Amino acid sequence: MEFFCGTRTSYRKIRRTRPWRERKEDIPELYQYYLNLFDHSLYVRLKDSFTYAFQPAFTYSYPGNVRELVNIAERFKSLLDPQRIGDESYLRQLVQECLNTEEVEKIEAAPCLELPISGDYEKDIHQAEREILRHYLDSAQCSMTQLAKQLNMSRTTLYNKLRDQLQISKDE
């Protein structure tokens, strides 16, 4: 279907395109194009495994537009472990993860802390650490030893930070 639009002096022909769900045959070429555009050497190394690895992407419904496809290709490139390019099952699983928008929604739904910026770097860092510690302490449903491990610090360091940042003693 074609139609014209524009002003009286300049008209241009616009071709109405079909939605992605009706153009599945174009999707492999678009992925190849964008992967090649983002990282040519990666694309060359992926060429043999491309069809198998991206099969889930070829059958995906794409409720969005081409930007969704581009975002998936970028996410794939960013998350790819270059050492595992020969592992087809890893590549296919990575494509599946990139298509899984539920994981993205979980990340977006993660708790956020609003931290005021005063302009004094040391004070701002101190305040940020205090708020982060308070968040972990309030949400912790485990012992201080387990919390320290989760935060990748020793228990003594955790207690010192709690004492210095939040004025909390071991007994509380």
Side-chain angles (χ1 to χ4, degrees):
M1 171 185 276
E2 295 179 350
F3 59 96
F4 294 95
C5 73
T7 63
R8 269 191 288 161
T9 56
S10 69
Y11 285 92
R12 55 192 168 110
K13 191 191 295 188
I14 296 177
R15 177 172 293 153
R16 190 168 184 139
T17 58
R18 297 174 298 158
W20 285 110
R21 64 184 170 274
E22 296 175 13
R23 296 185 304 160
K24 298 267 186 214
E25 68 278 359
D26 296 341
I27 292 173
E29 289 178 38
L30 285 168
Y31 272 111
Q32 289 174 337
Y33 171 79
Y34 284 109
L35 287 172
N36 190 24
L37 180 70
F38 297 147
D39 189 342
H40 177 72
S41 65
L42 169 70
Y43 172 71
V44 170
R45 294 186 309 172
L46 273 176
K47 231 175 183 176
D48 295 337
S49 306
F50 176 79
T51 305
Y52 175 79
F54 275 83
Q55 192 60 44
F58 302 157
T59 58
Y60 186 65
S61 65
Y62 296 97
N65 52 27
V66 74
R67 284 181 291 213
E68 185 175 5
L69 185 141
V70 173
N71 288 340
I72 291 167
E74 281 182 313
R75 195 175 311 138
F76 175 82
K77 180 195 157 291
S78 299
L79 297 175
L80 179 67
D81 178 3
Q83 306 297 330
R84 298 182 66 186
I85 285 183
D87 184 356
E88 287 184 342
S89 61
Y90 162 74
L91 295 173
R92 191 171 189 146
Q93 181 182 1
L94 183 59
V95 169
Q96 280 289 108
E97 289 173 15
C98 292
L99 292 169
N100 188 356
T101 55
E102 291 173 12
E103 293 299 319
V104 174
E105 289 169 4
K106 285 180 189 174
I107 291 169
E108 290 173 356
C112 295
L113 301 175
E114 289 194 29
L115 303 171
I117 306 294
S118 69
D120 180 359
Y121 180 76
E122 292 295 323
K123 183 179 175 185
D124 291 343
I125 292 295
H126 188 77
Q127 179 67 24
E129 187 174 25
R130 179 183 304 133
E131 291 301 317
I132 291 168
L133 278 171
R134 182 170 287 133
H135 168 77
Y136 278 109
L137 193 59
D138 291 345
S139 63
Q141 297 179 348
C142 56
S143 70
M144 288 299 215
T145 304
Q146 292 170 328
L147 180 59
K149 283 182 183 177
Q150 179 186 346
L151 297 175
N152 199 24
M153 63 177 73
S154 70
R155 192 181 70 188
T156 305
T157 302
L158 177 60
Y159 280 124
N160 288 337
K161 286 183 179 289
L162 291 173
R163 184 190 67 228
D164 297 342
Q165 297 281 346
L166 302 174
Q167 289 77 39
I168 296 176
S169 66
K170 287 183 181 181
D171 302 331
E172 292 181 37

